[in-house]
Amino acid sequence: MSKIRVYELAKELEISSKELIALLKDEFGIEVKNHMSVVEEEDAALIKELLGDSEGNKDAVKEDSMDTEGKVTKSIVDEYEEILEEEVVNLAKKKKKTRRELAQEQLEAEEAALANMKVEIGEFITVKEFADKLGKPVAEVIKALIFTGIMAGINQEIDFETAEKAAKRLEIDIVKSKDDASGISDEKEEDLLDVNLEKRPPIVTVMGHVDHGKTSLLDAIRKAKVTESEAGGITQHIGAYTITINGEKITFLDTPGHEAFTAMRARGAQVTDIVILVVAADDGIMPQTAEAINHCKAANVPMIVAINKIDVEGANIDKVKQELTEYGLVAEEWGGDTICVPVSAKQRMGIDDLLEMVLLTAEVEELKADSNRRAAGTVIESELDKGRGPVATLLVQKGTLNVGDSILVGSTYGRIRAMFDDKGKKIKSAGPSIPVEILGLSEVPQAGDKFHEVKDEKTARGMAEARKIKEKSLQQSTMRVSLEDLYSQVKEGKIKELPIIIKADVQGSIEALKGTLEKLSTDEIKVRVIHGGVGAVTETDISLAAASNAVVIGFNVRPDNNAQVLAEKEKVYVKTYRVIYHAVDDIKAAMIGMLAPEIKEVVQGRVEIRQTYKVSAIGTIAGCYVLNGKITRNSEIRLLRDGVIIHEGKLASLKRFKDDAKEVLAGFECGLSIEKFNEIKEGDIIEAYVMESIVRKEL
Ligand SMILES: Nc1nc2c(ncn2[C@@H]2O[C@H](COP(=O)(O)OP(=O)(O)OP(=O)(O)O)[C@@H](O)[C@H]2O)c(=O)[nH]1
C-alpha cells in the first residue's frame, strides 16, 4: 500500500508539518512521531477531502521542496523509515477502521451541526442587528431585503417574516427565538410564558333576542352584587364589570348582543368564556336567539340559558326548553347538558342561581392564567377623549398590568399613565380577567385589538410602526375561503371543513339547502351549515362568516348595503342564487375542483324608489335616487324589498327629468320603469348589475 509522508501531505495542504501532526492527532486520532512519518494514502485522501484539497496531487511534491523542518539528510530519512515504518503501519492498521470512522463521523457531525445552525431572532429586529446576527455585511442584507420587495434602512425594524425571506436568499436558516427580547412571540410561544397557572375569574357575555331582557339582566346582576356602601353613588364606568359572589369573581362584558361578540371574533379575539343566552319565557326562541346560538356554537363557547320574565303572565318555561331542543340544546333536567335557569330580571328572581351556574361552568372549564408574567389581553372598547386623549378599556387575560408598563396595542402603543377599575377608581395594577380603563396610548386602538406588555416604550413604538407596515401589506393579501379556490385549499390541506351561512326568503329553503349541502361532505372536506336565517344577508352574517372563515349563500335574498361593504372589506365570499340546485351544483363542483367557467355578475349600484306614478299607457313609473354607484339604461336589475328579491329583469326606460339617460350616477335623481313589471313600491331598492364573462382559473 502506498504511503505519503507527513511533510509531503502538509505541503499539499499548505500547512506546516507541525500543524498537520497536531491535526492528525486531535482530529483523526492518528499519532505520528514527526514529519517523516508516513500516512496511508487512503487516510491522506480523506484528510485532504476534509481540508478542502480534493485534488490530492501528491506527485507534485518533490523531495527537494521540503519545508524548513524537512531539511534533513536522506540517510536520516531512511533511518527513520526503517525504525518507524513498521511501527506506524502497524498502528495505522490497528487504528485504521477507527480512524476512518472517526473522520467520517466528524464529517457527518459537522454537516448536521451546519444544518442545525439556525440563527435565532425575535419578532422584530433592526436591519443592523439582523446583519450582525447573520454575520453578514449590512449592505448584503439590505440587498437581500430589496430582492424580497422590502426597502429598508439600516436602523429600520423588520418583522420576523421579512427577515426569514431575506435570510432564505442568503441561504441562512433563521428561527424565532423563544426568549424574544421584545416580549412578543406567537401564541404558542406565548403559552410558554405561562408557568404558574392559577384559577381566574370567568368572562361572561349576555346574548339574546331584542327586548328579551339582556340589559335588565346585566343591571340586575350588577345591582344584586353592589354592596350597601357602594349603592347609589356608583354608576358603572366602563364596558365591563366584575362582581364577587361567595368570594369568587365573575367579569361581565357589558356590550350585550352577538354583534360585538362576533365582530371581536372576526378580529381574532375571543375573550368570552361563557355566554348567558337570555330567552323571554313569554316569547320563546326568536330569530336573534337562534342567531346567538349559532354564533356561540361557531365559537365553541359554552352557553347557559337564562329563561327570563318568568314573572310575566303567559310565561312558559317548558315551551322554551322544548324549542331549545330544536337547536340541539337539551336541558339538564331533560337528560341533556344545557343548564337552564329560570329568572326574572325585573323581580330579581333566580339571579343568584344563575351566577352559581356561571361559577360551576367556569369550574368545569378550568379557566386558568399566570398572573406573574408580563401582561397580555384584549381591547374591549376605546374612544378619543377631548381632555384625556385616547382612552381604552382593556381586559387583562394573562399576567398583571401595572401603571408605568409599556404596551403594544394592535398597531398602536403607549406607556400606561393612569389606570382605573370598573367603578372609575384609580388603581395601580390588574391581574387576569380584570377589566381596566387606561390612559397613555398614542392613538385610539380598535375593539378586539390584542395588547401585550413589552420591555420599554421604544420597543413598543418600533413594533407598532412595523405592524402598521405589515397591516398594509396584509390588507392587500388576506383572502378568505372562496368557492373558486376551495379545491386547491382542500388539496393543500389548508381546510378540512367548509362552513356555510345560508340566508333565504323562507325557512323551508334553508332547511332544504342545509340538508342537501351537508350531504355533499366527503372524507376530505366536511360541509357544515353554521347558521341559517330568513332575510337579507346582514353585517352580522358577514362578521360571523369572517370569524368562522365561512362562505355566505343567499337564496332569493341579497346582501344589504352595509353587508356588501363589510363583505368587501373582510373579503368574505358571498354568492346568491335563485334556484336551489344551482347552489348545490356550484358547491359540489367547487369541492371537486370542476367549477365551470361562469358569467360573473358585477353590481353597478343601488337605487332607492322614492315615489311611484301609474301611467295608463306605460305602467308604473318610479321617481328614484341613486344611492351609490350608478345605473345604466342597459343594466340588468333586480328589485329588492327588505332584502328579498321580488323581481329580476331589465329597465324599460331611464330618464333624467324629461330626457332619456344612458346612465345616472350616485347622488342624482332619475325616473325609470321596468320591463313587464309594475308592482314597484316606495322604499324598494333596485340593484343594477351587468354580467361579465370571466374565465375561471384551472383548479
Ligand atoms: N316583567 C318583566 N319584564 C322584564 C323582565 N326583564 C326585562 N323586562 C322588560 O323587557 C323590556 C326589554 O328589556 P331590556 O333589558 O331592555 O331588553 P334587551 O334584551 O336588553 O333589549 P335590547 O337592548 O333592545 O336588545 C323592558 O321593558 C324590561 O323592563 C322580567 O324579568 N320581567
Short mmCIF file of all heavy atoms in Angstrom, two decimals, residues 208-217 256 308-312 343-347, ligand 1:
data_model
loop_
_atom_site.label_atom_id
_atom_site.label_comp_id
_atom_site.label_asym_id
_atom_site.label_seq_id
_atom_site.Cartn_x
_atom_site.Cartn_y
_atom_site.Cartn_z
N GLY A 208 -79.02 37.50 23.32
CA GLY A 208 -80.42 37.12 23.22
C GLY A 208 -81.17 38.02 22.25
O GLY A 208 -80.60 38.98 21.72
N HIS A 209 -82.44 37.70 22.03
CA HIS A 209 -83.26 38.47 21.09
C HIS A 209 -83.59 39.84 21.69
O HIS A 209 -83.61 40.01 22.90
CB HIS A 209 -84.56 37.70 20.82
CG HIS A 209 -85.33 38.24 19.66
ND1 HIS A 209 -84.90 38.13 18.37
CD2 HIS A 209 -86.51 38.91 19.60
CE1 HIS A 209 -85.79 38.70 17.56
NE2 HIS A 209 -86.77 39.19 18.30
N VAL A 210 -83.87 40.78 20.81
CA VAL A 210 -84.21 42.13 21.24
C VAL A 210 -85.40 42.11 22.22
O VAL A 210 -86.34 41.33 22.03
CB VAL A 210 -84.49 43.03 20.00
CG1 VAL A 210 -85.67 42.50 19.20
CG2 VAL A 210 -84.72 44.46 20.39
N ASP A 211 -85.26 42.87 23.27
CA ASP A 211 -86.31 43.01 24.29
C ASP A 211 -86.51 41.78 25.18
O ASP A 211 -87.47 41.73 25.94
CB ASP A 211 -87.67 43.37 23.65
CG ASP A 211 -87.80 44.86 23.49
OD1 ASP A 211 -86.92 45.58 24.00
OD2 ASP A 211 -88.77 45.31 22.86
N HIS A 212 -85.66 40.79 25.06
CA HIS A 212 -85.83 39.63 25.94
C HIS A 212 -85.23 39.87 27.33
O HIS A 212 -85.39 39.05 28.22
CB HIS A 212 -85.23 38.37 25.29
CG HIS A 212 -86.18 37.74 24.32
ND1 HIS A 212 -86.07 36.44 23.89
CD2 HIS A 212 -87.28 38.25 23.70
CE1 HIS A 212 -87.06 36.17 23.04
NE2 HIS A 212 -87.80 37.26 22.92
N GLY A 213 -84.53 41.00 27.48
CA GLY A 213 -84.09 41.40 28.81
C GLY A 213 -82.60 41.32 29.08
O GLY A 213 -82.18 41.18 30.23
N LYS A 214 -81.77 41.49 28.05
CA LYS A 214 -80.32 41.42 28.25
C LYS A 214 -79.84 42.53 29.18
O LYS A 214 -79.15 42.29 30.17
CB LYS A 214 -79.58 41.55 26.89
CG LYS A 214 -79.91 40.46 25.90
CD LYS A 214 -79.17 40.63 24.60
CE LYS A 214 -79.65 41.81 23.77
NZ LYS A 214 -80.97 41.61 23.15
N THR A 215 -80.26 43.77 28.83
CA THR A 215 -79.82 44.91 29.62
C THR A 215 -80.35 44.81 31.05
O THR A 215 -79.62 45.05 32.02
CB THR A 215 -80.30 46.22 28.96
OG1 THR A 215 -79.95 46.14 27.58
CG2 THR A 215 -79.66 47.43 29.57
N SER A 216 -81.62 44.43 31.18
CA SER A 216 -82.22 44.31 32.52
C SER A 216 -81.46 43.28 33.35
O SER A 216 -81.24 43.46 34.54
CB SER A 216 -83.69 43.89 32.43
OG SER A 216 -84.37 44.77 31.58
N LEU A 217 -81.07 42.18 32.71
CA LEU A 217 -80.37 41.12 33.44
C LEU A 217 -78.99 41.60 33.90
O LEU A 217 -78.61 41.39 35.06
CB LEU A 217 -80.24 39.87 32.56
CG LEU A 217 -79.65 38.65 33.26
CD1 LEU A 217 -80.59 38.17 34.37
CD2 LEU A 217 -79.41 37.51 32.29
N PRO A 256 -74.05 43.90 25.39
CA PRO A 256 -74.86 42.72 25.11
C PRO A 256 -75.04 42.53 23.61
O PRO A 256 -74.92 43.47 22.83
CB PRO A 256 -76.20 43.03 25.78
CG PRO A 256 -76.25 44.51 25.91
CD PRO A 256 -74.85 44.99 25.97
N ASN A 308 -85.91 34.12 31.00
CA ASN A 308 -86.25 35.37 31.70
C ASN A 308 -87.76 35.66 31.66
O ASN A 308 -88.50 35.00 30.94
CB ASN A 308 -85.46 36.51 31.02
CG ASN A 308 -85.53 37.80 31.81
OD1 ASN A 308 -85.66 37.78 33.05
ND2 ASN A 308 -85.47 38.93 31.11
N LYS A 309 -88.12 36.63 32.44
CA LYS A 309 -89.51 37.12 32.52
C LYS A 309 -90.47 36.04 33.02
O LYS A 309 -91.61 35.95 32.54
CB LYS A 309 -89.98 37.66 31.15
CG LYS A 309 -89.08 38.74 30.56
CD LYS A 309 -89.79 39.53 29.48
CE LYS A 309 -88.83 40.47 28.77
NZ LYS A 309 -89.44 41.32 27.76
N ILE A 310 -90.01 35.23 33.97
CA ILE A 310 -90.90 34.17 34.47
C ILE A 310 -92.04 34.74 35.31
O ILE A 310 -92.99 34.05 35.64
CB ILE A 310 -90.13 33.11 35.31
CG1 ILE A 310 -89.29 33.81 36.39
CG2 ILE A 310 -89.24 32.23 34.43
CD1 ILE A 310 -88.77 32.85 37.45
N ASP A 311 -91.91 36.06 35.64
CA ASP A 311 -92.99 36.70 36.40
C ASP A 311 -94.16 37.10 35.50
O ASP A 311 -95.26 37.37 35.97
CB ASP A 311 -92.44 37.95 37.08
CG ASP A 311 -91.85 38.93 36.09
OD1 ASP A 311 -91.00 38.52 35.27
OD2 ASP A 311 -92.24 40.09 36.09
N VAL A 312 -93.95 37.11 34.22
CA VAL A 312 -94.98 37.59 33.29
C VAL A 312 -96.04 36.52 33.07
O VAL A 312 -95.73 35.33 33.00
CB VAL A 312 -94.33 37.96 31.93
CG1 VAL A 312 -95.39 38.35 30.90
CG2 VAL A 312 -93.33 39.07 32.10
N VAL A 343 -85.33 32.89 35.48
CA VAL A 343 -85.05 34.13 36.21
C VAL A 343 -86.09 35.19 35.88
O VAL A 343 -86.84 35.07 34.91
CB VAL A 343 -83.66 34.71 35.85
CG1 VAL A 343 -82.53 33.78 36.22
CG2 VAL A 343 -83.58 35.08 34.38
N SER A 344 -86.11 36.20 36.73
CA SER A 344 -86.83 37.42 36.38
C SER A 344 -85.88 38.57 36.66
O SER A 344 -85.55 38.83 37.82
CB SER A 344 -88.10 37.57 37.22
OG SER A 344 -88.55 38.91 37.10
N ALA A 345 -85.44 39.20 35.59
CA ALA A 345 -84.51 40.32 35.75
C ALA A 345 -85.21 41.45 36.49
O ALA A 345 -84.62 42.12 37.33
CB ALA A 345 -84.02 40.78 34.39
N LYS A 346 -86.47 41.62 36.18
CA LYS A 346 -87.23 42.73 36.77
C LYS A 346 -87.46 42.51 38.26
O LYS A 346 -87.25 43.42 39.06
CB LYS A 346 -88.57 42.86 36.04
CG LYS A 346 -89.17 44.24 36.18
CD LYS A 346 -90.31 44.38 35.21
CE LYS A 346 -90.88 45.77 35.23
NZ LYS A 346 -91.96 45.91 34.25
N GLN A 347 -87.88 41.30 38.62
CA GLN A 347 -88.18 41.00 40.03
C GLN A 347 -86.94 40.51 40.79
O GLN A 347 -87.04 40.13 41.94
CB GLN A 347 -89.26 39.90 40.11
CG GLN A 347 -90.51 40.15 39.27
CD GLN A 347 -91.46 41.12 39.94
OE1 GLN A 347 -91.43 41.28 41.15
NE2 GLN A 347 -92.30 41.78 39.15
N1 LIG B 1 -91.94 41.54 33.51
C1 LIG B 1 -90.67 41.53 33.19
N2 LIG B 1 -90.19 42.40 32.31
C2 LIG B 1 -88.88 42.36 32.00
C3 LIG B 1 -88.02 41.42 32.58
N3 LIG B 1 -86.77 41.62 32.07
C4 LIG B 1 -86.88 42.65 31.22
N4 LIG B 1 -88.15 43.10 31.16
C5 LIG B 1 -88.63 44.19 30.35
O1 LIG B 1 -88.46 43.87 28.99
C6 LIG B 1 -88.13 45.02 28.25
C7 LIG B 1 -86.85 44.79 27.50
O2 LIG B 1 -85.81 44.63 28.41
P1 LIG B 1 -84.31 45.02 28.04
O3 LIG B 1 -83.50 44.65 29.19
O4 LIG B 1 -84.25 46.41 27.53
O5 LIG B 1 -84.08 44.02 26.86
P2 LIG B 1 -82.85 43.89 25.93
O6 LIG B 1 -82.77 42.47 25.54
O7 LIG B 1 -81.67 44.48 26.58
O8 LIG B 1 -83.30 44.72 24.71
P3 LIG B 1 -82.40 45.42 23.61
O9 LIG B 1 -81.27 46.10 24.33
O10 LIG B 1 -83.33 46.37 22.95
O11 LIG B 1 -81.93 44.31 22.72
C8 LIG B 1 -88.03 46.17 29.25
O12 LIG B 1 -89.25 46.87 29.23
C9 LIG B 1 -87.85 45.47 30.57
O13 LIG B 1 -88.40 46.19 31.64
C10 LIG B 1 -88.56 40.49 33.53
O14 LIG B 1 -87.90 39.64 34.09
N5 LIG B 1 -89.88 40.60 33.77
#
